[in-house]
Amino acid sequence: MRRHVPLVLAALLAFVATALLAYQWLGQPTTLRVAVGPAGSEDARLVAAVTQSLARTHEDVRLRPVATGGVAESASLAERGKADLAVVRSDVGIPANTQTVAILHRNAVLLLTTDPSLAAVPDLRGRRIGIVRNPSGNTRLLATILEHYDIPADAVTVVPLGDGHEAGEALRGHRVDAVMVVSPLTGRTAGDVVASIIKGDNGVSAGGTPNFIPIGEAAVLARRWPALESVEIARGTFGGTPPRPAEAVATIGVSHRLVAQAHLSDSIVSELTRLLFVNRPGLAVEVPLANQIEAPDTSKSASLPVHPGAQAYYEGEVESFFERYGDWFYLVVMCVSILGSAAAGLVSRAANRSRARDMALLRQLLAIVRASRDVEDDGELADLERQADEILAAALARAGAGAIDNAGVAAFTLGLDQARRAIAERRAVLLERQAQGLDRAPDPRSAAAE
């Protein structure tokens, strides 16, 4: 039985080591690649702030930004499986293999001019329109707006502009007649565009007054293209006296979304979503745009699907650890129980076989004791004594291997003593008989004399 103890201990140590390795592996943080760009944009700054926050607090979910040239390239990386997450824009194209985690911010389309004759979108026919940043995506968005008003795309001239500061200079230099910018209303880019129109090249007031061109049919456009939404630029959004704009202006907007691969684990996405909203106040200190992080439409009629993990967080249905892995836990316990029972059965069978071998040796000793009583020849006694020695050697070998415990050793010692005593007593009897036979034998000389 003792020889099985090291095997059992080795099995237990192996199980503990496996459990520790599994715990260490499960405890490693999950790092997700997130495609975002361009470098220096508000999206990139926001993702960088989230990445640093998760690393500082040693969260189980971490981010690794992958720089791209813009939302179109980010969407392409996600579509090709080169990124786990991506920051995309609703109108540029959300990959079919991704689902929404959260809305990072909503952008509004601002059409600005200093020409009072440009009061509506149809007035832009034949004009030059400067587009601030992301010219490809914004150019398509401008074409969508113009199409609704039956204005061909080639009926206007698109002039790409750099940052927001270049807008005012382009309007004053008559390089463009109007400026289009797609940005959060409280974002830095929109503020820079309005400020550049109001102030001159030297940063002092140049008397320019930005006029906001409304998109009056924004609600219709939003119904026609689900990727768009109707937005209202509230009176005084950009401050000033008189307020800018002087009245509420209707326009369209798009949403910048954090999307995840559909195959990502629900638990990982739920945890990421939770961390976004838990850390939002702290993130807003570094990047004010973080205040605009919000939940998407989780209704079944939503045009853009939400990841089940994120939806579980929004609806308060995030499963706990035991709810998520309870079935596995019970399955493991059941398997361990079955394996334990099987191991116990094997040990019991091994112990029974060992006990049977011990009993067989003891029965041989008893047979030697019985046989020694009827032996009439010293040679047979010697053979029985040799058998007893062989049994002694086998017993010593089993005792050395730990197969015989102290009680077994005592039983063998008693049996061997009995066998040797029986052999010795029988040998004494045979010797005594032999001596008596010699005494009774007649003297040969006296027989001859007679």
Side-chain angles (χ1 to χ4, degrees), residues 259-421:
V259 297
Q261 295 285 349
H263 62 76
L264 275 183
S265 168
D266 292 354
S267 59
I268 292 176
V269 176
S270 294
E271 180 63 11
L272 174 62
T273 308
R274 184 188 71 82
L275 292 172
L276 278 177
F277 287 91
V278 168
N279 295 327
R280 183 172 59 178
L283 295 173
V285 175
E286 302 178 36
V287 184
L289 190 65
N291 280 321
Q292 297 190 28
I293 298 176
E294 61 178 284
D297 182 7
T298 59
S299 65
K300 294 182 179 180
S301 60
S303 58
L304 300 176
V306 178
H307 196 284
Q311 185 158 358
Y313 171 77
Y314 295 131
E315 297 179 354
E317 296 178 356
V318 177
E319 295 180 338
S320 65
F321 177 84
F322 285 104
E323 289 175 338
R324 191 180 308 129
Y325 300 108
D327 293 340
W328 287 101
F329 177 77
Y330 289 117
L331 182 61
V332 169
V333 170
M334 184 182 301
C335 290
V336 170
S337 177
I338 293 173
L339 291 176
S341 299
L346 292 175
V347 171
S348 177
R349 290 182 60 185
N352 290 335
R353 286 195 297 268
S354 177
R355 191 177 299 108
R357 286 193 291 268
D358 295 341
M359 292 303 298
L361 293 176
L362 288 173
R363 283 193 294 270
Q364 292 178 26
L365 287 174
L366 292 176
I368 290 173
V369 172
R370 295 190 188 97
S372 64
R373 295 172 182 169
D374 301 325
V375 170
E376 298 295 338
D377 183 67
D378 188 72
E380 295 181 6
L381 283 177
D383 184 60
L384 291 176
E385 193 169 18
R386 181 184 56 78
Q387 293 180 23
D389 290 338
E390 291 177 353
I391 293 174
L392 173 62
L396 290 177
R398 289 178 58 75
I404 302 177
D405 56 12
N406 292 334
V409 172
F412 272 104
T413 302
L414 179 61
L416 287 168
D417 289 342
Q418 291 294 328
R420 286 172 175 169
R421 185 180 296 111

Side-chain angles (χ1 to χ4, degrees), residues 33-40 44 47 64-70 73-74 77 83:
R33 300 163 299 171
V34 51
V36 60
V47 170
R64 189 177 71 199
V66 178
T68 66
E73 184 180 349
S74 298
L77 286 180

Side-chain angles (χ1 to χ4, degrees), residues 146-178:
L146 296 176
E147 178 187 349
H148 184 75
Y149 291 93
D150 294 331
I151 301 175
D154 57 1
V156 300
T157 301
V158 174
V159 180
L161 300 178
D163 58 17
H165 300 288
E166 189 179 348
E169 179 184 351
L171 286 171
R172 286 188 295 274
H174 301 291
R175 288 195 293 127
V176 298
D177 300 300

